[in-house]
Amino acid sequence: MLAALLAVDFDGAAALRKQAAGARVVAGCACGCPSIEFEAGRGFGMNPKVNGFPYEGHTSLFLYTIVDADGGELLGGIEWAGIDEEPRELPPPETFAVEAA
């Protein structure tokens, strides 16, 4: 899903694509939804960069960055925002339309 979200062009996409090569998931959401947080996701702010909308259903997700102490943007995580039944893992990327936020 991360690769699909980063395939969209937006300001800073190239730098985030480089970060994605070493991205490591360190946390999931306590509620059981498929939201994930990357290792760098514990910085400041949540800046949505890319939105994903399913071809069917009433859910969405977004890729967000955080600002580190030096003011740079780092991959923060993928946030699930659904009102349908929540899956336990991120759905296949081909089931989503993706666009810059």
Side-chain angles (χ1 to χ4, degrees):
M1 182 59 82
L2 180 57
L5 293 169
L6 289 173
V8 175
D9 285 325
F10 57 90
D11 261 357
L16 295 177
R17 288 180 192 122
K18 287 180 184 177
Q19 290 177 33
R24 188 169 68 101
V25 174
V26 296
C29 187
C31 80
C33 77
S35 295
I36 58 172
E37 186 176 282
F38 298 114
E39 187 169 32
R42 299 178 185 215
F44 302 100
M46 182 185 272
N47 307 309
K49 291 295 183 180
V50 180
N51 296 313
F53 302 99
Y55 292 116
E56 296 181 14
H58 302 286
T59 60
S60 65
L61 54 83
F62 62 91
L63 171 69
Y64 67 91
T65 60
I66 56 95
V67 177
D68 74 0
D70 296 324
E73 281 194 300
L74 302 173
L75 285 170
I78 299 174
E79 186 70 21
W80 180 262
I83 58 172
D84 288 346
E85 184 176 326
E86 293 181 346
R88 294 292 180 212
E89 58 186 47
L90 291 170
E94 61 272 9
T95 63
F96 280 77
V98 180
E99 63 185 36

